Amino acid sequence: SWKDNRTLFNLVCFILPFIILNLIILFLAVSTPKIEYTVSDTQDYKTVELSVKIRSLLPIKEMTVSLETQPLEMVKEKGVYKATLENNGTLEIYVTGWNGMSNRIYDHVATLDDAPPTINEEDYVMEGGRLTINVGDSQSGVNFDTAYATDENDQTVKPVNVTKNTGSTGTTGTSGTITFPMDTASLTVYIEDYAGNTFKASFTIHTEGIDTSSRDNDFSSDDSGSSSSGSASKSGSTAKETTKAA
């Protein structure tokens, strides 16, 4: 029998177990933790849920999760680590196993709306006592119901007309036009998106020319009979300011 064969006996009872044991030790020594993570779709463009799951043959020695180098507080639920993200940025997940082998992944989170709506500063109309502007927001959308302005007397001015454009996917609210009555020389317009980011822009009518209201009707003239005359013109200007939602 094989037990009587000394060479075969040593091979089965000593050499093969030794090889198998060392292969197992080597496999465990170089085993690297696997990282699985998901970033859910946002419902309000203000927060998003992060879920992280670690698959490892050995216990985890260390795990850190950070956003823009700032550590995130993770809560473990049924083997899954979870956190709520409130900002966009670079996500880093780092894991070290009991054997010292580590794994690290990076991703960029850009789901949240941290940019205010925009006003097309090259395409606005000030005429007939009205100001018409074009606004847009490509993420959460413009909250047209909150749009208002203040005049130079700090009086609140509500829009007289709002037109919402329909996008290529059939959604409305990502862009449109807003018309305000303009009874004073300037208006400060406030536009907000559904994430709470605010865009502030000031529109002013400038009048330039020669003031002749206090000039005498009689003009002196020299021998050449030369005279002077004045002209006036109107132009508009804008100034803007943005505010990110807290």
Side-chain angles (χ1 to χ4, degrees):
S1 68
W2 65 272
K3 293 182 179 180
D4 297 329
N5 189 326
R6 191 65 181 176
T7 301
L8 185 59
F9 180 82
N10 290 335
L11 177 64
V12 173
C13 294
F14 299 103
I15 298 177
L16 284 180
F18 178 80
I19 294 175
I20 293 174
L21 179 61
N22 279 273
L23 287 175
I24 293 175
I25 294 174
L26 177 63
F27 180 75
L28 293 176
V30 300
S31 177
T32 302
K34 302 295 187 298
I35 302 174
E36 299 177 358
Y37 73 99
T38 57
V39 178
S40 65
D41 294 332
T42 180
Q43 301 297 322
D44 55 6
Y45 289 92
K46 297 180 180 180
T47 60
V48 69
E49 297 299 323
L50 169 67
S51 299
V52 180
K53 189 172 185 178
I54 308 300
R55 297 187 181 276
S56 177
L57 295 176
L58 298 174
I60 298 301
K61 183 179 180 181
E62 178 186 5
M63 186 186 80
T64 59
V65 182
S66 62
L67 184 68
E68 290 295 318
T69 71
Q70 297 299 317
L72 296 176
E73 183 177 349
M74 307 297 294
V75 178
K76 189 175 183 180
E77 297 179 4
K78 299 180 179 180
V80 179
Y81 298 89
K82 297 183 178 182
T84 300
L85 307 183
E86 298 180 349
N87 296 286
N88 293 324
T90 301
L91 176 68
E92 178 185 0
I93 304 175
Y94 176 78
V95 179
T96 301
W98 181 79
N99 58 356
M101 299 297 290
S102 62
N103 192 4
R104 188 193 308 265
I105 62 172
Y106 294 92
D107 195 8
H108 186 71
V109 178
T111 307
L112 305 179
D113 186 357
D114 56 5
T118 58
I119 294 179
N120 190 335
E121 298 178 65
E122 305 298 329
D123 188 19
Y124 65 91
V125 178
M126 286 190 294
E127 63 180 13
R130 291 190 173 190
L131 167 67
T132 300
I133 58 175
N134 294 301
V135 300
D137 188 280
S138 60
Q139 289 189 289
S140 63
V142 179
N143 189 351
F144 289 93
D145 295 335
T146 63
Y148 72 98
T150 57
D151 61 19
E152 59 188 25
N153 299 318
D154 290 331
Q155 297 297 313
T156 300
V157 179
K158 292 293 186 179
V160 295
N161 185 63
V162 173
T163 302
K164 301 178 183 180
N165 298 334
T166 302
S168 58
T169 59
T171 58
T172 59
T174 57
S175 64
T177 60
I178 304 176
T179 301
F180 294 93
M182 195 168 187
D183 299 326
T184 58
S186 65
L187 277 182
T188 301
V189 178
Y190 297 86
I191 306 297
E192 187 175 298
D193 61 21
Y194 283 101
N197 304 306
T198 303
F199 187 97
K200 172 185 174 183
S202 298
F203 297 84
T204 304
I205 299 176
H206 294 290
T207 302
E208 299 176 350
I210 299 175
D211 184 5
T212 61
S213 60
S214 61
R215 182 173 295 182
D216 294 336
N217 293 329
D218 296 331
F219 292 90
S220 60
S221 60
D222 55 20
D223 293 340
S224 62
S226 63
S227 63
S228 62
S229 62
S231 64
S233 63
K234 289 185 177 181
S235 63
S237 67
T238 65
K240 63 181 180 179
E241 179 181 330
T242 61
T243 304
K244 181 181 176 182

